Amino acid sequence: MEIKEAIARAKENDQKAFNFLLDTFWDDVYGFQLKRIQNENDAEDITIQTFSRAFDRIETFDDNYKFKTWLITISKNIHIDLLRKEKNSISQVMSNDDKSVYQILDESPTPEDKLITDQHLAKLLRDIKKLKPHYQEIINMRYFQELSYKEICVQLKEPINNVKVKLLRAKKLLAEIIQSK
């Protein structure tokens, strides 16, 4: 399959075309981020988000430009957004005379959060059933069976990068279903 053909087929939601583009450009985007941030886990996370965002917006791709350049631009913007969020939220250092005070965001769930979570589990399961079967399956494997990415790869007989992107897309689609209520 040629890149232009894969892009055209991806615009028609062809899963094989998405997989081809993912396999073809994964190393380019991942390598770009690895050089930029020098952290393998963060580079991988940003790369996954890049492909997810690119596939969600593939119809906006302009064929007059190179696909690789478009992906790198998306990747760079995701990294910049993450840096902004990190700068604005998690840790702010305040200096008071000679004493330094750190404000750290506590993300542990409160008892109220746990109660709400329990009450909403049934609704969540109903929403998951609205997803396509392959998205239901991957969410079930990861979050209910608590399988690792490698274990999911073995069961689905797919490369790990495909599994990660599918999972991210499944979560986005589920979030859209939940928010549309």
Side-chain angles (χ1 to χ4, degrees):
M1 186 182 316
E2 196 177 301
I3 292 170
K4 286 188 178 193
E5 177 191 352
I7 293 167
R9 287 173 52 186
K11 286 181 178 182
E12 297 170 7
N13 285 325
D14 182 334
Q15 190 62 44
K16 288 181 182 177
F18 287 132
N19 292 346
F20 174 80
L21 293 169
L22 179 73
D23 292 340
T24 304
F25 294 103
W26 176 271
D27 290 339
D28 294 320
V29 176
Y30 176 76
F32 170 78
Q33 280 301 334
L34 191 58
K35 284 179 186 170
R36 191 175 167 109
I37 59 181
Q38 299 177 350
N39 179 313
E40 290 179 10
N41 291 331
D42 291 345
E44 189 172 296
D45 288 345
I46 291 171
T47 303
I48 291 167
Q49 290 177 42
T50 299
F51 280 97
S52 178
R53 188 173 295 172
F55 292 160
D56 286 346
R57 299 185 184 144
I58 190 89
E59 70 281 348
T60 65
F61 174 69
D62 183 348
D63 292 329
N64 294 322
Y65 300 98
K66 291 193 179 274
F67 192 71
K68 177 180 168 182
T69 305
W70 187 64
L71 287 172
I72 296 292
T73 302
I74 292 170
S75 179
K76 183 177 68 175
N77 290 339
I78 288 171
H79 181 232
I80 290 168
D81 290 345
L82 289 173
L83 289 175
R84 282 188 192 129
K85 286 179 188 173
E86 191 176 288
K87 180 181 175 187
N88 291 333
S89 69
I90 297 179
S91 62
Q92 297 176 346
V93 179
M94 296 173 57
S95 166
N96 188 5
D97 295 327
D98 291 333
K99 300 176 187 174
S100 291
V101 177
Y102 294 90
Q103 290 183 329
I104 310 262
L105 183 62
D106 180 13
E107 293 185 7
S108 58
T110 65
E112 293 85 6
D113 291 336
K114 289 178 184 173
L115 181 64
I116 291 169
T117 301
D118 292 343
Q119 291 174 345
H120 286 74
L121 183 59
K123 289 180 187 175
L124 177 63
L125 291 172
R126 281 194 300 273
D127 289 339
I128 289 172
K129 289 188 183 202
K130 294 177 184 174
L131 293 171
K132 290 183 180 178
H134 63 278
Y135 289 137
Q136 289 179 30
E137 179 182 33
I138 201 159
I139 284 180
N140 182 29
M141 291 173 145
R142 183 68 177 157
Y143 297 107
F144 293 98
Q145 297 176 26
E146 297 182 350
L147 298 179
S148 69
Y149 287 122
K150 286 185 181 181
E151 292 168 325
I152 296 171
C153 290
V154 170
Q155 285 196 17
L156 296 179
K157 297 178 181 141
E158 288 192 28
I160 195 163
N161 296 337
N162 290 14
V163 167
K164 289 178 179 178
V165 171
K166 267 189 188 173
L167 184 62
L168 189 62
R169 292 184 77 195
K171 289 191 299 187
K172 281 187 174 183
L173 291 170
L174 182 59
E176 288 173 12
I177 290 169
I178 292 168
Q179 289 174 354
S180 69
K181 289 184 175 182

